[in-house]
Amino acid sequence: MTAARRRVRRTTDRYQWEKDRALLPEDERRRAGAAERDTGLAREELEFSTEFGSAPAGVELARRFGVPEGTRMLRRTYRTRARGENAPLSLVISWLVYDMAAANPALLTPENEPWPGGTPHQLSTIGIEIDRVVDEVTVRLPLPEEARTLDVPGGVPVLVLRKTSIDTAGRVVEIAECVLPGDRAEIVSTTRLQPWPKRNR
C-alpha cells in the first residue's frame, strides 16, 4: 500500500502570524516558518530549494505592480518538499521590484533562504510594512511540467493561488503565485467581522 502523501493546509490567518513573527528576534524566527505551519512538520523534516533571477516586467505584471512595462523584477522560485517524498509540496514564484529589494543586498541572493521570518521580515529590512494581502484562487488542470514536478495523477486539477501583498502606502510590493496539487491541498479562508454597535435597550 502506498503511504499517504503529505497534505498542505493553507489558512488566511497565516498572514497575521507571519507579520507578527517579523518583529521577533532572529532565534525565534528561525524555529518555524510558514511551510512548517502549513504542513505540521518540523524544519528538519523539510528540504528547501530556491532559485533567484531577474526579468523585465511584462504587460500584466507591470499593470499589477503599477510600474512601467520593462521594469526590472526579482524572480524567486521556491520548492519545499517533505523529506522522503519525491515531489514538492507546491510550486511558488514570487516577484519583487528589483530596485526596491536591492536596498538590502541580502535580499538578492538565494543563499540566505529560507529567510527567518519570510517575506514580511525581508520587507521590514527595507522599511516596508505589509498592510493587507489579497488572495485570488483558481482551479485548472496542470501544465505538463507542473504535473510531472508535483507528481499529480492524470485528471487531478491544481489550485492556483495568486497572493498580492500591499504595503501601508498602498503600493503592491510582492506578487506570488503558488500552484498546489488538488488531491493533497486545501485553502481555508477566515474573515473576521466587526461587531454591531451596542444598542440602547
PDB file of all heavy atoms in Angstrom, residues 85-121:
ATOM      1  N   GLU A  85       9.843  12.304   0.330  1.00  0.00           N
ATOM      2  CA  GLU A  85       8.888  12.393  -0.760  1.00  0.00           C
ATOM      3  C   GLU A  85       9.583  12.877  -2.021  1.00  0.00           C
ATOM      4  O   GLU A  85      10.543  13.646  -1.964  1.00  0.00           O
ATOM      5  CB  GLU A  85       7.711  13.302  -0.393  1.00  0.00           C
ATOM      6  CG  GLU A  85       6.849  12.742   0.726  1.00  0.00           C
ATOM      7  CD  GLU A  85       5.459  13.360   0.773  1.00  0.00           C
ATOM      8  OE1 GLU A  85       5.162  14.223  -0.067  1.00  0.00           O
ATOM      9  OE2 GLU A  85       4.683  12.966   1.657  1.00  0.00           O
ATOM     10  N   ASN A  86       9.074  12.448  -3.178  1.00  0.00           N
ATOM     11  CA  ASN A  86       9.757  12.767  -4.433  1.00  0.00           C
ATOM     12  C   ASN A  86       9.237  14.027  -5.100  1.00  0.00           C
ATOM     13  O   ASN A  86       9.782  14.465  -6.102  1.00  0.00           O
ATOM     14  CB  ASN A  86       9.606  11.589  -5.420  1.00  0.00           C
ATOM     15  CG  ASN A  86       8.153  11.357  -5.821  1.00  0.00           C
ATOM     16  OD1 ASN A  86       7.236  11.767  -5.116  1.00  0.00           O
ATOM     17  ND2 ASN A  86       7.950  10.702  -6.952  1.00  0.00           N
ATOM     18  N   ALA A  87       8.174  14.618  -4.558  1.00  0.00           N
ATOM     19  CA  ALA A  87       7.585  15.798  -5.194  1.00  0.00           C
ATOM     20  C   ALA A  87       7.488  16.938  -4.185  1.00  0.00           C
ATOM     21  O   ALA A  87       7.242  16.702  -2.992  1.00  0.00           O
ATOM     22  CB  ALA A  87       6.196  15.472  -5.741  1.00  0.00           C
ATOM     23  N   PRO A  88       7.666  18.179  -4.643  1.00  0.00           N
ATOM     24  CA  PRO A  88       7.497  19.310  -3.729  1.00  0.00           C
ATOM     25  C   PRO A  88       6.046  19.469  -3.311  1.00  0.00           C
ATOM     26  O   PRO A  88       5.134  18.967  -3.963  1.00  0.00           O
ATOM     27  CB  PRO A  88       7.986  20.507  -4.536  1.00  0.00           C
ATOM     28  CG  PRO A  88       7.814  20.101  -5.965  1.00  0.00           C
ATOM     29  CD  PRO A  88       8.026  18.615  -5.996  1.00  0.00           C
ATOM     30  N   LEU A  89       5.852  20.179  -2.211  1.00  0.00           N
ATOM     31  CA  LEU A  89       4.509  20.425  -1.693  1.00  0.00           C
ATOM     32  C   LEU A  89       3.753  21.412  -2.565  1.00  0.00           C
ATOM     33  O   LEU A  89       2.524  21.389  -2.631  1.00  0.00           O
ATOM     34  CB  LEU A  89       4.593  20.950  -0.260  1.00  0.00           C
ATOM     35  CG  LEU A  89       5.294  20.006   0.733  1.00  0.00           C
ATOM     36  CD1 LEU A  89       5.651  20.753   2.012  1.00  0.00           C
ATOM     37  CD2 LEU A  89       4.410  18.812   1.037  1.00  0.00           C
ATOM     38  N   SER A  90       4.485  22.300  -3.212  1.00  0.00           N
ATOM     39  CA  SER A  90       3.883  23.317  -4.069  1.00  0.00           C
ATOM     40  C   SER A  90       4.956  23.897  -4.967  1.00  0.00           C
ATOM     41  O   SER A  90       6.156  23.660  -4.767  1.00  0.00           O
ATOM     42  CB  SER A  90       3.234  24.430  -3.230  1.00  0.00           C
ATOM     43  OG  SER A  90       4.227  25.096  -2.462  1.00  0.00           O
ATOM     44  N   LEU A  91       4.528  24.662  -5.958  1.00  0.00           N
ATOM     45  CA  LEU A  91       5.429  25.409  -6.832  1.00  0.00           C
ATOM     46  C   LEU A  91       5.137  26.890  -6.615  1.00  0.00           C
ATOM     47  O   LEU A  91       4.001  27.324  -6.811  1.00  0.00           O
ATOM     48  CB  LEU A  91       5.193  25.045  -8.300  1.00  0.00           C
ATOM     49  CG  LEU A  91       5.196  23.551  -8.649  1.00  0.00           C
ATOM     50  CD1 LEU A  91       4.861  23.363 -10.130  1.00  0.00           C
ATOM     51  CD2 LEU A  91       6.540  22.923  -8.317  1.00  0.00           C
ATOM     52  N   VAL A  92       6.124  27.647  -6.194  1.00  0.00           N
ATOM     53  CA  VAL A  92       5.916  29.054  -5.851  1.00  0.00           C
ATOM     54  C   VAL A  92       6.870  29.936  -6.647  1.00  0.00           C
ATOM     55  O   VAL A  92       8.075  29.681  -6.688  1.00  0.00           O
ATOM     56  CB  VAL A  92       6.119  29.309  -4.335  1.00  0.00           C
ATOM     57  CG1 VAL A  92       5.899  30.786  -4.014  1.00  0.00           C
ATOM     58  CG2 VAL A  92       5.198  28.425  -3.505  1.00  0.00           C
ATOM     59  N   ILE A  93       6.313  30.955  -7.285  1.00  0.00           N
ATOM     60  CA  ILE A  93       7.120  32.005  -7.913  1.00  0.00           C
ATOM     61  C   ILE A  93       6.716  33.331  -7.285  1.00  0.00           C
ATOM     62  O   ILE A  93       5.528  33.667  -7.230  1.00  0.00           O
ATOM     63  CB  ILE A  93       6.902  32.056  -9.437  1.00  0.00           C
ATOM     64  CG1 ILE A  93       7.339  30.750 -10.086  1.00  0.00           C
ATOM     65  CG2 ILE A  93       7.670  33.228 -10.042  1.00  0.00           C
ATOM     66  CD1 ILE A  93       7.082  30.695 -11.586  1.00  0.00           C
ATOM     67  N   SER A  94       7.693  34.054  -6.775  1.00  0.00           N
ATOM     68  CA  SER A  94       7.472  35.345  -6.118  1.00  0.00           C
ATOM     69  C   SER A  94       8.182  36.438  -6.898  1.00  0.00           C
ATOM     70  O   SER A  94       9.324  36.255  -7.348  1.00  0.00           O
ATOM     71  CB  SER A  94       7.998  35.283  -4.676  1.00  0.00           C
ATOM     72  OG  SER A  94       8.123  36.576  -4.130  1.00  0.00           O
ATOM     73  N   TRP A  95       7.505  37.587  -7.045  1.00  0.00           N
ATOM     74  CA  TRP A  95       8.072  38.727  -7.764  1.00  0.00           C
ATOM     75  C   TRP A  95       8.166  39.935  -6.838  1.00  0.00           C
ATOM     76  O   TRP A  95       7.220  40.249  -6.115  1.00  0.00           O
ATOM     77  CB  TRP A  95       7.195  39.103  -8.954  1.00  0.00           C
ATOM     78  CG  TRP A  95       7.080  38.056 -10.014  1.00  0.00           C
ATOM     79  CD1 TRP A  95       6.122  37.085 -10.117  1.00  0.00           C
ATOM     80  CD2 TRP A  95       7.946  37.872 -11.139  1.00  0.00           C
ATOM     81  NE1 TRP A  95       6.335  36.315 -11.224  1.00  0.00           N
ATOM     82  CE2 TRP A  95       7.448  36.770 -11.875  1.00  0.00           C
ATOM     83  CE3 TRP A  95       9.091  38.526 -11.594  1.00  0.00           C
ATOM     84  CZ2 TRP A  95       8.054  36.310 -13.048  1.00  0.00           C
ATOM     85  CZ3 TRP A  95       9.689  38.078 -12.756  1.00  0.00           C
ATOM     86  CH2 TRP A  95       9.179  36.989 -13.472  1.00  0.00           C
ATOM     87  N   LEU A  96       9.323  40.605  -6.872  1.00  0.00           N
ATOM     88  CA  LEU A  96       9.533  41.886  -6.199  1.00  0.00           C
ATOM     89  C   LEU A  96      10.138  42.842  -7.211  1.00  0.00           C
ATOM     90  O   LEU A  96      10.813  42.421  -8.153  1.00  0.00           O
ATOM     91  CB  LEU A  96      10.504  41.752  -5.020  1.00  0.00           C
ATOM     92  CG  LEU A  96      10.181  40.751  -3.904  1.00  0.00           C
ATOM     93  CD1 LEU A  96      11.371  40.639  -2.961  1.00  0.00           C
ATOM     94  CD2 LEU A  96       8.951  41.183  -3.136  1.00  0.00           C
ATOM     95  N   VAL A  97       9.910  44.140  -7.029  1.00  0.00           N
ATOM     96  CA  VAL A  97      10.616  45.128  -7.857  1.00  0.00           C
ATOM     97  C   VAL A  97      12.091  45.087  -7.474  1.00  0.00           C
ATOM     98  O   VAL A  97      12.442  45.230  -6.296  1.00  0.00           O
ATOM     99  CB  VAL A  97      10.027  46.535  -7.654  1.00  0.00           C
ATOM    100  CG1 VAL A  97      10.851  47.575  -8.411  1.00  0.00           C
ATOM    101  CG2 VAL A  97       8.570  46.574  -8.111  1.00  0.00           C
ATOM    102  N   TYR A  98      12.946  44.858  -8.449  1.00  0.00           N
ATOM    103  CA  TYR A  98      14.369  44.616  -8.171  1.00  0.00           C
ATOM    104  C   TYR A  98      15.016  45.774  -7.423  1.00  0.00           C
ATOM    105  O   TYR A  98      15.702  45.567  -6.419  1.00  0.00           O
ATOM    106  CB  TYR A  98      15.118  44.344  -9.471  1.00  0.00           C
ATOM    107  CG  TYR A  98      16.506  43.801  -9.265  1.00  0.00           C
ATOM    108  CD1 TYR A  98      16.751  42.432  -9.296  1.00  0.00           C
ATOM    109  CD2 TYR A  98      17.591  44.652  -9.024  1.00  0.00           C
ATOM    110  CE1 TYR A  98      18.017  41.923  -9.093  1.00  0.00           C
ATOM    111  CE2 TYR A  98      18.860  44.150  -8.817  1.00  0.00           C
ATOM    112  CZ  TYR A  98      19.072  42.783  -8.848  1.00  0.00           C
ATOM    113  OH  TYR A  98      20.336  42.285  -8.633  1.00  0.00           O
ATOM    114  N   ASP A  99      14.824  46.985  -7.899  1.00  0.00           N
ATOM    115  CA  ASP A  99      15.484  48.131  -7.261  1.00  0.00           C
ATOM    116  C   ASP A  99      15.004  48.335  -5.828  1.00  0.00           C
ATOM    117  O   ASP A  99      15.763  48.795  -4.970  1.00  0.00           O
ATOM    118  CB  ASP A  99      15.259  49.404  -8.078  1.00  0.00           C
ATOM    119  CG  ASP A  99      16.060  49.416  -9.379  1.00  0.00           C
ATOM    120  OD1 ASP A  99      16.964  48.562  -9.528  1.00  0.00           O
ATOM    121  OD2 ASP A  99      15.774  50.257 -10.249  1.00  0.00           O
ATOM    122  N   MET A 100      13.745  48.002  -5.564  1.00  0.00           N
ATOM    123  CA  MET A 100      13.228  48.087  -4.203  1.00  0.00           C
ATOM    124  C   MET A 100      13.937  47.078  -3.316  1.00  0.00           C
ATOM    125  O   MET A 100      14.439  47.410  -2.237  1.00  0.00           O
ATOM    126  CB  MET A 100      11.723  47.828  -4.196  1.00  0.00           C
ATOM    127  CG  MET A 100      11.073  47.836  -2.829  1.00  0.00           C
ATOM    128  SD  MET A 100       9.370  47.191  -2.870  1.00  0.00           S
ATOM    129  CE  MET A 100       9.690  45.415  -2.987  1.00  0.00           C
ATOM    130  N   ALA A 101      14.034  45.825  -3.753  1.00  0.00           N
ATOM    131  CA  ALA A 101      14.689  44.782  -2.962  1.00  0.00           C
ATOM    132  C   ALA A 101      16.175  45.057  -2.797  1.00  0.00           C
ATOM    133  O   ALA A 101      16.769  44.723  -1.757  1.00  0.00           O
ATOM    134  CB  ALA A 101      14.467  43.422  -3.608  1.00  0.00           C
ATOM    135  N   ALA A 102      16.790  45.680  -3.800  1.00  0.00           N
ATOM    136  CA  ALA A 102      18.239  45.917  -3.768  1.00  0.00           C
ATOM    137  C   ALA A 102      18.655  46.892  -2.684  1.00  0.00           C
ATOM    138  O   ALA A 102      19.853  47.028  -2.401  1.00  0.00           O
ATOM    139  CB  ALA A 102      18.707  46.419  -5.134  1.00  0.00           C
ATOM    140  N   ALA A 103      17.704  47.559  -2.044  1.00  0.00           N
ATOM    141  CA  ALA A 103      18.048  48.426  -0.908  1.00  0.00           C
ATOM    142  C   ALA A 103      18.692  47.613   0.208  1.00  0.00           C
ATOM    143  O   ALA A 103      19.414  48.165   1.046  1.00  0.00           O
ATOM    144  CB  ALA A 103      16.798  49.145  -0.398  1.00  0.00           C
ATOM    145  N   ASN A 104      18.447  46.309   0.236  1.00  0.00           N
ATOM    146  CA  ASN A 104      19.152  45.393   1.139  1.00  0.00           C
ATOM    147  C   ASN A 104      19.724  44.283   0.267  1.00  0.00           C
ATOM    148  O   ASN A 104      19.007  43.358  -0.105  1.00  0.00           O
ATOM    149  CB  ASN A 104      18.219  44.814   2.196  1.00  0.00           C
ATOM    150  CG  ASN A 104      18.930  43.833   3.122  1.00  0.00           C
ATOM    151  OD1 ASN A 104      20.121  43.571   2.974  1.00  0.00           O
ATOM    152  ND2 ASN A 104      18.196  43.280   4.070  1.00  0.00           N
ATOM    153  N   PRO A 105      21.016  44.340  -0.075  1.00  0.00           N
ATOM    154  CA  PRO A 105      21.601  43.340  -0.988  1.00  0.00           C
ATOM    155  C   PRO A 105      21.416  41.904  -0.523  1.00  0.00           C
ATOM    156  O   PRO A 105      21.418  40.982  -1.348  1.00  0.00           O
ATOM    157  CB  PRO A 105      23.088  43.726  -1.015  1.00  0.00           C
ATOM    158  CG  PRO A 105      23.106  45.188  -0.688  1.00  0.00           C
ATOM    159  CD  PRO A 105      21.988  45.383   0.301  1.00  0.00           C
ATOM    160  N   ALA A 106      21.207  41.685   0.762  1.00  0.00           N
ATOM    161  CA  ALA A 106      20.999  40.326   1.271  1.00  0.00           C
ATOM    162  C   ALA A 106      19.731  39.698   0.708  1.00  0.00           C
ATOM    163  O   ALA A 106      19.600  38.469   0.701  1.00  0.00           O
ATOM    164  CB  ALA A 106      20.948  40.335   2.797  1.00  0.00           C
ATOM    165  N   LEU A 107      18.798  40.522   0.221  1.00  0.00           N
ATOM    166  CA  LEU A 107      17.547  40.003  -0.325  1.00  0.00           C
ATOM    167  C   LEU A 107      17.701  39.471  -1.747  1.00  0.00           C
ATOM    168  O   LEU A 107      16.775  38.860  -2.276  1.00  0.00           O
ATOM    169  CB  LEU A 107      16.465  41.094  -0.317  1.00  0.00           C
ATOM    170  CG  LEU A 107      16.132  41.753   1.016  1.00  0.00           C
ATOM    171  CD1 LEU A 107      14.947  42.696   0.850  1.00  0.00           C
ATOM    172  CD2 LEU A 107      15.841  40.713   2.091  1.00  0.00           C
ATOM    173  N   LEU A 108      18.859  39.706  -2.358  1.00  0.00           N
ATOM    174  CA  LEU A 108      19.053  39.366  -3.763  1.00  0.00           C
ATOM    175  C   LEU A 108      19.709  38.014  -3.986  1.00  0.00           C
ATOM    176  O   LEU A 108      19.927  37.626  -5.136  1.00  0.00           O
ATOM    177  CB  LEU A 108      19.904  40.450  -4.446  1.00  0.00           C
ATOM    178  CG  LEU A 108      19.367  41.884  -4.374  1.00  0.00           C
ATOM    179  CD1 LEU A 108      20.331  42.840  -5.057  1.00  0.00           C
ATOM    180  CD2 LEU A 108      17.974  41.981  -4.986  1.00  0.00           C
ATOM    181  N   THR A 109      20.021  37.291  -2.915  1.00  0.00           N
ATOM    182  CA  THR A 109      20.751  36.032  -3.066  1.00  0.00           C
ATOM    183  C   THR A 109      20.005  34.870  -2.431  1.00  0.00           C
ATOM    184  O   THR A 109      19.525  34.988  -1.291  1.00  0.00           O
ATOM    185  CB  THR A 109      22.175  36.148  -2.480  1.00  0.00           C
ATOM    186  OG1 THR A 109      22.804  34.865  -2.508  1.00  0.00           O
ATOM    187  CG2 THR A 109      22.143  36.654  -1.045  1.00  0.00           C
ATOM    188  N   PRO A 110      19.907  33.739  -3.135  1.00  0.00           N
ATOM    189  CA  PRO A 110      19.187  32.590  -2.580  1.00  0.00           C
ATOM    190  C   PRO A 110      19.909  31.916  -1.432  1.00  0.00           C
ATOM    191  O   PRO A 110      19.310  31.129  -0.694  1.00  0.00           O
ATOM    192  CB  PRO A 110      19.067  31.639  -3.781  1.00  0.00           C
ATOM    193  CG  PRO A 110      20.196  32.023  -4.686  1.00  0.00           C
ATOM    194  CD  PRO A 110      20.376  33.502  -4.513  1.00  0.00           C
ATOM    195  N   GLU A 111      21.208  32.224  -1.260  1.00  0.00           N
ATOM    196  CA  GLU A 111      21.951  31.604  -0.171  1.00  0.00           C
ATOM    197  C   GLU A 111      21.393  31.982   1.198  1.00  0.00           C
ATOM    198  O   GLU A 111      21.668  31.302   2.191  1.00  0.00           O
ATOM    199  CB  GLU A 111      23.436  31.987  -0.250  1.00  0.00           C
ATOM    200  CG  GLU A 111      24.219  31.267  -1.339  1.00  0.00           C
ATOM    201  CD  GLU A 111      23.873  31.756  -2.740  1.00  0.00           C
ATOM    202  OE1 GLU A 111      23.496  32.940  -2.890  1.00  0.00           O
ATOM    203  OE2 GLU A 111      23.973  30.954  -3.685  1.00  0.00           O
ATOM    204  N   ASN A 112      20.613  33.057   1.263  1.00  0.00           N
ATOM    205  CA  ASN A 112      20.040  33.491   2.543  1.00  0.00           C
ATOM    206  C   ASN A 112      18.674  32.863   2.823  1.00  0.00           C
ATOM    207  O   ASN A 112      18.031  33.200   3.816  1.00  0.00           O
ATOM    208  CB  ASN A 112      19.922  35.018   2.573  1.00  0.00           C
ATOM    209  CG  ASN A 112      21.276  35.686   2.595  1.00  0.00           C
ATOM    210  OD1 ASN A 112      22.198  35.234   3.259  1.00  0.00           O
ATOM    211  ND2 ASN A 112      21.416  36.769   1.840  1.00  0.00           N
ATOM    212  N   GLU A 113      18.234  31.976   1.934  1.00  0.00           N
ATOM    213  CA  GLU A 113      16.962  31.287   2.118  1.00  0.00           C
ATOM    214  C   GLU A 113      17.171  29.911   2.756  1.00  0.00           C
ATOM    215  O   GLU A 113      18.206  29.289   2.545  1.00  0.00           O
ATOM    216  CB  GLU A 113      16.257  31.134   0.762  1.00  0.00           C
ATOM    217  CG  GLU A 113      15.908  32.433   0.074  1.00  0.00           C
ATOM    218  CD  GLU A 113      14.712  33.142   0.684  1.00  0.00           C
ATOM    219  OE1 GLU A 113      14.019  32.534   1.532  1.00  0.00           O
ATOM    220  OE2 GLU A 113      14.455  34.293   0.307  1.00  0.00           O
ATOM    221  N   PRO A 114      16.185  29.391   3.512  1.00  0.00           N
ATOM    222  CA  PRO A 114      14.943  30.075   3.884  1.00  0.00           C
ATOM    223  C   PRO A 114      15.192  31.190   4.885  1.00  0.00           C
ATOM    224  O   PRO A 114      15.892  30.998   5.879  1.00  0.00           O
ATOM    225  CB  PRO A 114      14.087  28.953   4.494  1.00  0.00           C
ATOM    226  CG  PRO A 114      15.080  27.951   4.986  1.00  0.00           C
ATOM    227  CD  PRO A 114      16.247  28.016   4.044  1.00  0.00           C
ATOM    228  N   TRP A 115      14.640  32.346   4.600  1.00  0.00           N
ATOM    229  CA  TRP A 115      14.865  33.548   5.409  1.00  0.00           C
ATOM    230  C   TRP A 115      14.022  33.471   6.686  1.00  0.00           C
ATOM    231  O   TRP A 115      12.812  33.277   6.616  1.00  0.00           O
ATOM    232  CB  TRP A 115      14.470  34.772   4.597  1.00  0.00           C
ATOM    233  CG  TRP A 115      14.773  36.080   5.250  1.00  0.00           C
ATOM    234  CD1 TRP A 115      14.103  36.656   6.292  1.00  0.00           C
ATOM    235  CD2 TRP A 115      15.823  36.989   4.909  1.00  0.00           C
ATOM    236  NE1 TRP A 115      14.661  37.858   6.624  1.00  0.00           N
ATOM    237  CE2 TRP A 115      15.718  38.093   5.791  1.00  0.00           C
ATOM    238  CE3 TRP A 115      16.824  36.983   3.949  1.00  0.00           C
ATOM    239  CZ2 TRP A 115      16.592  39.187   5.730  1.00  0.00           C
ATOM    240  CZ3 TRP A 115      17.685  38.062   3.891  1.00  0.00           C
ATOM    241  CH2 TRP A 115      17.571  39.142   4.768  1.00  0.00           C
ATOM    242  N   PRO A 116      14.645  33.614   7.849  1.00  0.00           N
ATOM    243  CA  PRO A 116      13.872  33.586   9.096  1.00  0.00           C
ATOM    244  C   PRO A 116      12.843  34.720   9.143  1.00  0.00           C
ATOM    245  O   PRO A 116      13.207  35.895   9.103  1.00  0.00           O
ATOM    246  CB  PRO A 116      14.936  33.760  10.185  1.00  0.00           C
ATOM    247  CG  PRO A 116      16.225  33.388   9.535  1.00  0.00           C
ATOM    248  CD  PRO A 116      16.085  33.774   8.099  1.00  0.00           C
ATOM    249  N   GLY A 117      11.581  34.376   9.165  1.00  0.00           N
ATOM    250  CA  GLY A 117      10.534  35.393   9.170  1.00  0.00           C
ATOM    251  C   GLY A 117       9.924  35.630   7.810  1.00  0.00           C
ATOM    252  O   GLY A 117       8.940  36.376   7.699  1.00  0.00           O
ATOM    253  N   GLY A 118      10.485  34.999   6.760  1.00  0.00           N
ATOM    254  CA  GLY A 118       9.896  35.080   5.436  1.00  0.00           C
ATOM    255  C   GLY A 118       9.844  36.479   4.842  1.00  0.00           C
ATOM    256  O   GLY A 118      10.543  37.402   5.273  1.00  0.00           O
ATOM    257  N   THR A 119       8.991  36.644   3.841  1.00  0.00           N
ATOM    258  CA  THR A 119       8.898  37.910   3.117  1.00  0.00           C
ATOM    259  C   THR A 119       8.523  39.090   4.005  1.00  0.00           C
ATOM    260  O   THR A 119       9.080  40.184   3.825  1.00  0.00           O
ATOM    261  CB  THR A 119       7.924  37.782   1.943  1.00  0.00           C
ATOM    262  OG1 THR A 119       8.409  36.772   1.039  1.00  0.00           O
ATOM    263  CG2 THR A 119       7.785  39.092   1.186  1.00  0.00           C
ATOM    264  N   PRO A 120       7.599  38.950   4.981  1.00  0.00           N
ATOM    265  CA  PRO A 120       7.292  40.114   5.830  1.00  0.00           C
ATOM    266  C   PRO A 120       8.529  40.674   6.533  1.00  0.00           C
ATOM    267  O   PRO A 120       8.698  41.887   6.608  1.00  0.00           O
ATOM    268  CB  PRO A 120       6.269  39.568   6.832  1.00  0.00           C
ATOM    269  CG  PRO A 120       5.593  38.473   6.085  1.00  0.00           C
ATOM    270  CD  PRO A 120       6.686  37.828   5.270  1.00  0.00           C
ATOM    271  N   HIS A 121       9.405  39.785   7.014  1.00  0.00           N
ATOM    272  CA  HIS A 121      10.619  40.288   7.668  1.00  0.00           C
ATOM    273  C   HIS A 121      11.597  40.840   6.637  1.00  0.00           C
ATOM    274  O   HIS A 121      12.250  41.865   6.885  1.00  0.00           O
ATOM    275  CB  HIS A 121      11.300  39.204   8.502  1.00  0.00           C
ATOM    276  CG  HIS A 121      12.477  39.741   9.266  1.00  0.00           C
ATOM    277  ND1 HIS A 121      13.747  39.738   8.750  1.00  0.00           N
ATOM    278  CD2 HIS A 121      12.558  40.343  10.479  1.00  0.00           C
ATOM    279  CE1 HIS A 121      14.575  40.299   9.629  1.00  0.00           C
ATOM    280  NE2 HIS A 121      13.872  40.680  10.679  1.00  0.00           N
TER     281      HIS A 121
END
